[in-house]
Amino acid sequence: MDGVTGEMPAIPEDTLDLGDRLDPVRTLLRRASMGDSSAAGALLDVMGPRIHGLAVHVTGSSAKAGKLTVAVLRSCLRDAAQLAASGLPGEAAVLDRARRAAVATEPSGDVRSLVAPDAVSDRTRDRREVAVMRALLDLPPIERALVESAAQGRFPYTGAHRAQAAAVLARLLDELVPFGDSGTPEGTAQEVRALAALDALALADDAERDRLRVLTANSEGAGVHRHAIEAAGRLALLTAVPPSRDLRVAVLEGFGSAPVQVRPTQRPPQPRQAGPGPGGPAPVDTATQAPHAAAPETAYHGTYATPVLGTDSQRRLVGAPAVAGMVQADASGPGGQPLSVPAPPPSAAGHPGATDPVPAFAFSRHDEAGRSRRRRKQLRAQQRAAATGTRSPWVARALGALAVLSLLGALVAGGLWLDARGDLADSRSFAATWSEMSVQEDARLVPGLSDNGTWRAVLTADRTALWAEGVAAYEDDGQDEVLQLWGERDGAPVDLGVLELSRQGTVEVVVDEGVDRVWVTREHAPQNRSGTPSERIVANLDPDLSGT
């Protein structure tokens, strides 16, 4: 409520608060439907990484994901008014459209764990991400793998197994966003929740969708379905991956070309009354409006984790929607309502005394090319050189130097690309092995005790996996020391080799030996081969100490 006038704003814009009552994405959709290009760009920044990451996990291809992201975002901008007016929150409506488009492409590729060490390293920026992570980690390994596969479009179950798996999905989604009461008997309520979970993840077939449509005819059942779709959107927080290239040009191409933005000038135009259009504001005399003296402030910014809207006032008024035949003006009338100036009909343009339409100009970057004398001389010199086929010596030397620099840059970039590709392949292989070992029946996930980094281990009967991050190297008497991995089997120490520490301070290793516990010690290079570990322990990963 405005403390000065005591009036409630028409539509208060959402700000940094991400509570259930506020809906930042709906505000972006509403403003994008009015032709606001800054809101459209902010919608791309906020939702682009989540749509692209979801498409990458489903399709297994970054190229396919980029094309799918562009198509989904363009359709959302085209139907922005429809999405903003739907019963779903804006974020859930956009992600539901993206998920259905991605799953419709027949998912392929490897299923990635959403709670693997490399996947969660940067997934704690938002409290919603933390809630989803906790919900997944509380599940048994088999159910967690089922939910992770379903979140990436894989659900190969039929018959009774399909109903049981759908019930697991419903319990997880209900924990993220409570479904509420469906208004049906207990047996039917469980069916409603299971079918709603399948449809929210775009996994339901035609018969299941028809059955769900019948069961959700009442308002309570429709609420369960709506909450399931919102919870499915929360899962996309753990798959968010920013696109490798800027998609802004491809998505926003042609957006906002219809409405003309009128910039206030220093000298106001002749007095002209603005008549009300269909659904528009009351008539306002534009001649009485003072021009804006201050530069416009940034309207929107944020990421997929923390969308931030509004300005330093934390609240602005959203005016009437754009109407065909209306010109959106930047000046605002009393109460913060934007002015809409009606464009005159085409038939009146040629009559004497008719009101002239507000001019609109579109310049290209070549329009001013020949305005200066210096530029005209450069153009004539380029034309003569092209006609005679001659080049000046400095041009040849510059081209030669540029070719050498390009070759060196290509060689350096190629080497860096090969190294990065190898590291990425190793990380993906380790993450897949970690996920596979985590879901085994005898697997034990053991946290480590250390003052140098964060350590985790998975112990099985025949293999041991160790992961660490934030580990600093040791140096003694000017010589680097190594980190050696030890295990204990039947009370006897087992040498598991020297750990390789990356430049980023991470450790990823899998050993084909089953042990009861593991620990890491500092040893002089190259390694301790005496068979007895030193007393300088770096990390201790003991299931008995951690209560695993």
Side-chain angles (χ1 to χ4, degrees), residues 151-368:
Q152 299 173 59
R154 278 78 165 182
F155 196 71
Y157 297 95
T158 58
H161 296 288
R162 185 177 182 88
Q164 296 174 1
V168 174
L169 298 179
R171 287 197 299 269
L172 186 278
L173 296 182
D174 186 24
E175 185 174 353
L176 297 180
V177 177
F179 287 176
D181 187 11
S182 62
T184 57
E186 181 63 24
T188 308
Q190 297 298 329
E191 184 182 5
V192 171
R193 296 158 66 89
L195 293 178
L198 284 179
D199 185 71
L201 295 171
L203 303 174
D205 55 26
D206 295 337
E208 290 169 338
R209 284 194 294 270
D210 294 340
R211 176 62 176 166
L212 178 64
R213 192 176 299 110
V214 173
L215 295 177
T216 57
N218 57 346
S219 59
E220 293 85 358
V224 171
H225 190 197
R226 181 173 63 253
H227 292 153
I229 295 176
E230 185 177 355
R234 298 283 180 90
L235 285 177
L237 285 166
L238 301 187
T239 58
V241 177
S244 57
R245 63 184 182 91
D246 189 7
L247 305 179
R248 185 177 295 269
V249 175
V251 174
L252 301 181
E253 181 181 4
F255 176 79
S257 57
V260 180
Q261 297 294 330
V262 182
R263 300 296 178 187
T265 58
Q266 296 296 329
R267 178 176 297 176
Q270 295 299 324
R272 182 170 56 215
Q273 296 294 331
V284 180
D285 188 358
T286 57
T288 61
Q289 301 299 322
H292 292 284
E297 55 187 346
T298 303
Y300 313 105
H301 63 283
T303 65
Y304 74 92
T306 57
V308 182
L309 308 179
T311 61
D312 55 358
S313 65
Q314 303 293 313
R315 186 189 66 213
R316 297 188 302 152
L317 296 183
V318 179
V323 180
M326 307 293 289
V327 179
Q328 298 297 320
D330 287 346
S332 58
Q337 296 290 344
L339 303 180
S340 295
V341 183
S347 59
H351 294 282
T355 304
D356 297 332
V358 179
F361 304 97
F363 295 100
S364 66
R365 60 187 182 90
H366 300 289
D367 290 341
E368 300 294 326

Side-chain angles (χ1 to χ4, degrees), residues 49-218:
R50 295 183 65 180
I51 297 175
H52 180 266
L54 179 61
V56 168
H57 281 72
V58 173
T59 63
S61 170
S62 180
K64 292 181 180 178
K67 296 179 181 179
L68 188 64
T69 304
V70 171
V72 171
L73 286 173
R74 287 178 70 92
S75 70
C76 290
L77 292 179
R78 182 183 65 245
D79 304 332
Q82 175 184 350
L83 294 175
S86 67
L88 289 170
E91 182 180 73
V94 173
L95 290 175
D96 181 61
R97 174 171 294 195
R99 183 181 296 277
R100 297 184 188 279
V103 175
T105 62
E106 298 182 358
S108 59
D110 298 331
V111 178
R112 312 177 190 181
S113 175
L114 304 183
V115 292
D118 62 336
V120 302
S121 57
D122 61 341
R123 288 285 180 263
T124 56
R125 294 183 294 173
D126 183 9
R127 63 172 180 264
R128 298 180 300 170
E129 294 178 350
V130 176
V132 177
M133 285 286 301
R134 288 174 177 172
L136 287 176
L137 292 175
D138 288 341
L139 293 175
I142 297 178
E143 294 185 0
R144 185 194 314 158
L146 186 154
V147 173
E148 292 174 347
S149 299
Q152 299 173 59
R154 278 78 165 182
F155 196 71
Y157 297 95
T158 58
H161 296 288
R162 185 177 182 88
Q164 296 174 1
V168 174
L169 298 179
R171 287 197 299 269
L172 186 278
L173 296 182
D174 186 24
E175 185 174 353
L176 297 180
V177 177
F179 287 176
D181 187 11
S182 62
T184 57
E186 181 63 24
T188 308
Q190 297 298 329
E191 184 182 5
V192 171
R193 296 158 66 89
L195 293 178
L198 284 179
D199 185 71
L201 295 171
L203 303 174
D205 55 26
D206 295 337
E208 290 169 338
R209 284 194 294 270
D210 294 340
R211 176 62 176 166
L212 178 64
R213 192 176 299 110
V214 173
L215 295 177
T216 57
N218 57 346

